[in-house]
Amino acid sequence: GTGSNILSALQDLFWLLKSKAEKQLQIISVLQWVLTFLIMGIACTLILMYILCTDCWAIAALYLAWLVFDWNTPKKGGRRSQWVRNWAIWRYFRDYFPIRLVKTHNLLTTRNYIFGYHPHGIMGLGAFCNFSTEATGVSQKFPGIRPYLATLAGNFRMPILRDYLMSGGICPVNRDSIDYILSKNGSGNAIIIVVGGAAESLNCTPGKNSVTLKNRKGFVKLALRHGADLVPVYSFGENEVYKQVIFEEGSWGRWVQKKFQKHIGFAPCIFHGRGLFSSTTWGLLPYSKPITTVVGEPITIPKIDNPSQKDVDFYHSMYVDSLIKLFDKYKSKFGLLETEVLEVN
């Protein structure tokens, strides 16, 4: 009896230690991504400039020569790495929240797609985990489909960061890159565009379900030009992981944010999550709230080389209706009240 009690106690201790170790690994995995998002580009640029001024300057010079040679690769589908996409760290990243990907319909490998991802949130954590890693099994759920998450083109001008992003299948959100993937890269491609962009991030806050979409029609025009089907995607919980200071329209804070958005492409947000060592203190770590990304039914889009504004408006209206229906169908399953309404701005 005594030996059995000791063995049971040791097993309980082992599982307790394992659970704590896994939680720490989850925190580390999320922290590295947050730091990558916030400072990796600037940090790598400064480090490269510093190395140029040291005895190791040849290493930096060789990388810069490679950078010039490789400059247009992000515009041509990038250079994804299945090894990087399958890193164990992304599974810990997934389990921290946790993040889940829900498939509602099959996608044909003979077609290309543009996924409209909503909402942006502060960092688009659900978009990254679901489509730039294999942590939630996107390749198993949609066999034969190659996802490309589109982000700011400026990120691909940053040394090292550009290569890191490309390894996950991330591409610039510009016309050259999207045209190449949808017209010169065969079929079975899915470009994920966070349609609301920086403007939407300025209004994200816990408890609010709103998207910036009414005047965002460029992605529909691209879909028509290439005959790429549109797929609405809604990520329940994306707005819950950070708290943000919302500046009212007309305030000095909103004026500064809009100036940054107009001239640089992103809007600086004043936000906070939890601390590194305690969930009750403020810090840069997101709160561990569930994020469930639902991929909706594709909308079949005809190929029109020069779509008229009437064509764009028609399919944009179809897309908005489809997104609202997707939200209404799944909202109660993922923690929202039946009375909750998706606000389309």
Side-chain angles (χ1 to χ4, degrees), residues 132-160:
S132 293
T133 80
E134 294 296 331
T136 56
V138 63
S139 293
Q140 285 72 46
K141 287 182 169 70
F142 301 103
I145 302 297
R146 292 180 298 275
Y148 293 86
L149 177 60
T151 188
L152 289 176
N155 289 323
F156 296 88
R157 302 186 188 102
M158 302 282 191
I160 310 299

Side-chain angles (χ1 to χ4, degrees), residues 170-187:
I170 300 177
C171 68
V173 62
N174 58 31
R175 182 168 172 174
D176 288 344
S177 177
I178 294 173
D179 282 347
Y180 182 90
I181 293 170
L182 295 180
S183 64
K184 300 179 181 179
N185 202 41
S187 60

Side-chain angles (χ1 to χ4, degrees), residues 114-118 148-150 173 178 191-195 219 222:
I114 293 180
F115 287 17
Y117 184 91
H118 312 269
Y148 293 86
L149 177 60
V173 62
I178 294 173
I191 298 179
I192 297 89
I193 300 177
V194 186
V195 178
F219 73 105
L222 280 169

Side-chain angles (χ1 to χ4, degrees), residues 179-247:
D179 282 347
Y180 182 90
I181 293 170
L182 295 180
S183 64
K184 300 179 181 179
N185 202 41
S187 60
N189 302 293
I191 298 179
I192 297 89
I193 300 177
V194 186
V195 178
E200 191 171 84
S201 69
L202 297 179
N203 295 314
C204 70
T205 188
K208 186 172 184 179
N209 290 285
S210 66
V211 296
T212 301
L213 183 57
K214 278 184 179 179
N215 297 315
R216 299 294 175 106
K217 301 181 180 181
F219 73 105
V220 178
K221 190 172 184 178
L222 280 169
L224 286 165
R225 289 180 62 246
H226 294 284
D229 293 348
L230 289 171
V231 182
V233 179
Y234 197 86
S235 216
F236 295 90
E238 185 72 64
N239 284 346
E240 307 300 315
V241 296
Y242 279 110
K243 295 178 180 178
Q244 180 183 190
V245 176
I246 304 293
F247 293 102

Side-chain angles (χ1 to χ4, degrees), residues 40-271:
M40 183 177 177
I42 295 174
C44 288
T45 302
L46 294 174
I47 291 170
L48 195 66
M49 292 172 62
Y50 171 75
I51 293 175
L52 279 171
C53 300
T54 68
D55 293 338
C56 298
W57 63 270
I59 297 174
L62 283 172
Y63 178 80
L64 289 173
W66 161 253
L67 193 63
V68 172
F69 174 78
D70 194 56
W71 190 253
N72 289 323
T73 298
K75 299 177 183 178
K76 297 180 178 180
R79 186 171 47 248
R80 74 175 55 216
S81 166
Q82 286 302 116
W83 175 64
V84 173
R85 287 175 60 89
N86 281 285
W87 276 354
I89 194 171
W90 306 131
R91 294 193 290 275
Y92 289 112
F93 182 99
R94 172 199 67 196
D95 293 340
Y96 172 85
F97 295 93
I99 296 174
R100 178 187 174 201
L101 180 65
V102 176
K103 170 186 174 180
T104 63
H105 291 79
N106 291 324
L107 299 181
L108 300 175
T109 57
T110 54
R111 300 286 292 174
N112 284 324
Y113 301 91
I114 293 180
F115 287 17
Y117 184 91
H118 312 269
H120 184 287
I122 295 292
M123 296 185 185
L125 294 164
F128 169 77
C129 184
N130 285 308
F131 302 112
S132 293
T133 80
E134 294 296 331
T136 56
V138 63
S139 293
Q140 285 72 46
K141 287 182 169 70
F142 301 103
I145 302 297
R146 292 180 298 275
Y148 293 86
L149 177 60
T151 188
L152 289 176
N155 289 323
F156 296 88
R157 302 186 188 102
M158 302 282 191
I160 310 299
L161 175 63
R162 68 188 292 277
D163 301 289
Y164 188 40
L165 295 178
M166 283 194 293
S167 68
I170 300 177
C171 68
V173 62
N174 58 31
R175 182 168 172 174
D176 288 344
S177 177
I178 294 173
D179 282 347
Y180 182 90
I181 293 170
L182 295 180
S183 64
K184 300 179 181 179
N185 202 41
S187 60
N189 302 293
I191 298 179
I192 297 89
I193 300 177
V194 186
V195 178
E200 191 171 84
S201 69
L202 297 179
N203 295 314
C204 70
T205 188
K208 186 172 184 179
N209 290 285
S210 66
V211 296
T212 301
L213 183 57
K214 278 184 179 179
N215 297 315
R216 299 294 175 106
K217 301 181 180 181
F219 73 105
V220 178
K221 190 172 184 178
L222 280 169
L224 286 165
R225 289 180 62 246
H226 294 284
D229 293 348
L230 289 171
V231 182
V233 179
Y234 197 86
S235 216
F236 295 90
E238 185 72 64
N239 284 346
E240 307 300 315
V241 296
Y242 279 110
K243 295 178 180 178
Q244 180 183 190
V245 176
I246 304 293
F247 293 102
E248 297 295 329
E249 290 292 338
S251 66
W252 67 270
R254 183 53 63 99
W255 179 85
V256 170
Q257 288 176 324
K258 286 189 173 181
K259 287 294 182 183
F260 266 84
Q261 179 189 336
K262 179 179 179 180
H263 297 292
I264 301 178
F266 74 92
C269 301
I270 300 177
F271 65 92

